[in-house]
Amino acid sequence: MTAVNVPGRSGRRLSAFAIPLICTAQLMATLDVTIVNLALPAMQREFALSDAGLAWVIDAYTLAYAGLLLLGGRAGDLVGHRRTLMIGISVFAASSLLGGFAYDPGLLLAARAGQGVGAALATPTTLSLITTLFPPGPGRTKAMVAYGAMAGLGITIGLVLGGVLTELASWRWVFLVNVPIGVVLLAAAPRVLPESTGARRRLDVLGAAVGTAALTTLVYGVIRAGIDGWGDLVSTVALASAVLLLAVFALVERGAAEPMLPLRLLAHRTRLGACLIAGLLFACLYPSFFFLSRALQDVLGQEPIEAGLRFLPIGLGVLVFAIVTRRLVHVTGARTLVLGGTAATAVAALSLVMVDAGSSYPALLLPALIGLGAGVGTTFVANAASAMTDVAEADAGIASGLLSTFQAVGGTIGVAVLAALAASATRADLAERAASAAPSPDAAREALVAGFGQGFAVAGGLAVLALVVAVWTAPKR
């Protein structure tokens, strides 16, 4: 394979295929955040799943993924980033194969959990490979742009591909499509990527156990509350336990000789700000995509494939603005791009409050979708670079895992809280209408619109809050 000189810390020569391989791995892992969304009704019909059981098709992935991201990031520092990436891809591809041939709900949920485990190992490793293999300069900027574009495109392409595969083939292909990609990546990785290992060799077992338990309990509590209500006893106990475990985790890490998560990483103002911005933006974007997919199908009456294709402008916005970011970052610095990206996301999300049964796609939805893509494409690239500022090579994996954890937990909390808020508003609107007239399909659609409108309003508010954090923490250059 063609090799290119990359001047840097160790004088490594990298294959010209290094960036495409890393980005393909990131794309594959990101796809599965959304690819099953439009396939859920078909799965529900085949397995006769209840609504709660159907929710766990999403939540089994989220629980494993978010709970293990910190451990997955540190694993790269301990055993090697390439090796960890390959383990993650292997688990992900094998779980995808299981999901594609699942014949009962238990196997389906096991496959989704396995995909979450694989993604938790692979996702933080892709960013850490970029920061360890590419020194600061044009080479790293190019790689960061590609990484940020794939992170944003994966979410969009997942929605489009999920609808296309479900309608033209079968819901099983939303799993099986990952298998050949995984096989190619596993065959190419040893030939394309050099091994990159940090200086640490001992695992902080206690910290890893407490940290993983804290994150898993937190995510489970949020998921449970989103399904059974925020007054549910089990979810309340889980959330309280998560707070306690996080406090214990901080104490354990402060006293550990070689902590899994060095607390100094969170003491860095720019890095902490980047993580908070990522968490807030994902808390805005995930529920926005959820409400949009529901609105397109349940309010505007579109089929899955048509609804999926409607999301393509987001991908176009991500791609174009990621390229623009690459050209501007050395001129304007990261601060201007993060501020502009978060502002674009806020405006786009708030404009979706106006969506109703008579909404025009060209006049309202299309500009909003392009705006979301522009915000994602601009912010993800600059924010990922900020999150890895001044990170030692030995801590690249855990720093990347930290950013991914904020993203995953932010998205999970956003969907749970905003979906519950929207559902409550929908029920209240239906009750008010039922008091004055007989229920009708039009009334049901209008009630959904009312609920989605409240959800979009809060999502936009979260993006505004991300903008405020960016003003406070983003680097001057």
Side-chain angles (χ1 to χ4, degrees):
M1 292 186 178
T2 306
V4 292
N5 266 322
V6 180
R9 300 168 183 153
S10 57
R12 296 181 177 95
R13 288 178 61 85
L14 294 180
S15 165
F17 296 97
I19 295 177
L21 188 146
I22 292 170
C23 289
T24 302
Q26 173 66 15
L27 179 65
M28 184 179 74
T30 310
L31 273 174
D32 261 70
V33 174
T34 56
I35 196 171
V36 302
N37 285 14
L38 295 178
L40 290 174
M43 296 179 193
Q44 186 172 34
R45 287 192 298 270
E46 179 158 341
F47 293 118
L49 292 169
S50 65
D51 287 343
L54 192 65
W56 275 106
V57 177
I58 300 292
D59 297 337
Y61 177 94
T62 304
L63 187 63
Y65 177 62
L68 294 171
L69 274 168
L70 283 181
L71 184 58
R74 180 50 97 194
D77 298 326
L78 289 168
V79 305
H81 300 298
R82 186 188 71 190
R83 184 177 294 111
T84 304
L85 177 65
M86 292 179 67
I87 294 171
I89 292 172
S90 299
V91 174
F92 191 89
S95 299
S96 297
L97 186 64
L98 177 64
F101 290 99
Y103 55 83
D104 65 32
L107 283 178
L108 182 66
L109 295 182
R112 286 293 286 165
Q115 284 183 316
V117 173
L121 291 168
T123 300
T125 309
T126 55
L127 181 56
S128 59
L129 275 166
I130 289 173
T131 56
T132 55
L133 297 181
F134 296 90
R140 180 181 289 185
T141 300
K142 179 181 178 182
M144 282 288 190
V145 167
Y147 167 85
M150 290 305 102
L153 279 173
I155 297 171
T156 307
I157 294 174
L159 289 165
V160 176
L161 198 57
V164 171
L165 290 174
T166 300
E167 190 155 324
L168 298 184
S170 162
W171 66 263
R172 295 180 181 277
W173 279 99
V174 304
F175 291 94
L176 295 175
V177 69
N178 296 312
V179 177
I181 300 173
V183 170
V184 171
L185 289 174
L186 289 172
R191 298 169 174 81
V192 171
L193 299 175
E195 186 55 277
S196 174
T197 309
R200 298 183 187 276
R201 288 296 180 272
R202 287 194 298 172
L203 174 65
D204 171 21
V205 176
L206 181 59
V210 176
T212 300
L215 288 173
T216 303
T217 305
L218 172 63
V219 173
Y220 175 76
V222 170
I223 290 171
R224 172 93 184 201
I227 296 172
D228 296 328
W230 291 90
D232 174 66
L233 178 61
V234 174
S235 61
T236 302
V237 171
L239 292 172
S241 299
V243 172
L244 178 61
L245 286 167
L246 286 170
V248 172
F249 177 64
L251 292 175
V252 169
E253 297 305 271
R254 180 176 295 176
E258 293 185 347
M260 182 178 79
L261 174 61
L263 297 183
R264 66 178 181 278
L265 293 176
L266 288 169
H268 192 287
R269 178 174 172 173
T270 297
R271 186 176 307 111
L272 177 61
C275 289
L276 291 173
I277 291 166
L280 288 167
L281 283 183
F282 271 72
C284 163
L285 291 169
Y286 278 14
S288 294
F289 292 153
F290 173 75
F291 294 141
L292 271 173
S293 63
R294 294 264 333 257
L296 288 170
Q297 294 180 85
D298 298 339
V299 176
L300 299 177
Q302 296 176 358
E303 295 298 322
I305 188 169
E306 186 181 6
L309 291 172
R310 296 286 186 176
F311 281 93
L312 279 175
I314 297 180
L316 178 62
V318 169
L319 190 59
V320 169
F321 280 87
I323 294 171
V324 170
T325 296
R326 177 188 173 189
R327 299 182 182 277
L328 290 180
V329 68
H330 295 296
V331 177
T332 66
R335 179 180 179 85
T336 300
L337 296 171
V338 173
L339 292 176
T342 50
T345 304
V347 171
L350 289 171
S351 71
L352 291 170
V353 171
M354 296 182 288
V355 170
D356 59 28
S359 292
S360 165
Y361 183 81
L364 175 60
L365 290 171
L366 181 60
L369 292 171
I370 293 175
L372 286 175
V376 170
T378 304
T379 308
F380 276 24
V381 175
N383 202 55
S386 297
M388 302 304 287
T389 301
D390 300 329
V391 173
E393 185 170 344
D395 290 326
I398 189 61
S400 176
L402 185 64
L403 177 66
S404 297
T405 299
F406 271 83
Q407 292 172 343
V409 173
T412 302
I413 293 174
V415 170
V417 174
L418 269 63
L421 176 66
S424 177
T426 297
R427 287 193 298 270
D429 190 274
L430 277 174
E432 184 177 338
R433 292 174 187 276
S436 57
S440 69
D442 287 341
R445 281 193 292 271
E446 290 171 6
L448 280 175
V449 167
F452 294 159
Q454 288 205 17
F456 285 129
V458 177
L462 292 170
V464 171
L465 186 56
L467 176 60
V468 172
V469 174
V471 170
W472 174 52
T473 64
K476 299 300 181 184
R477 290 291 300 171

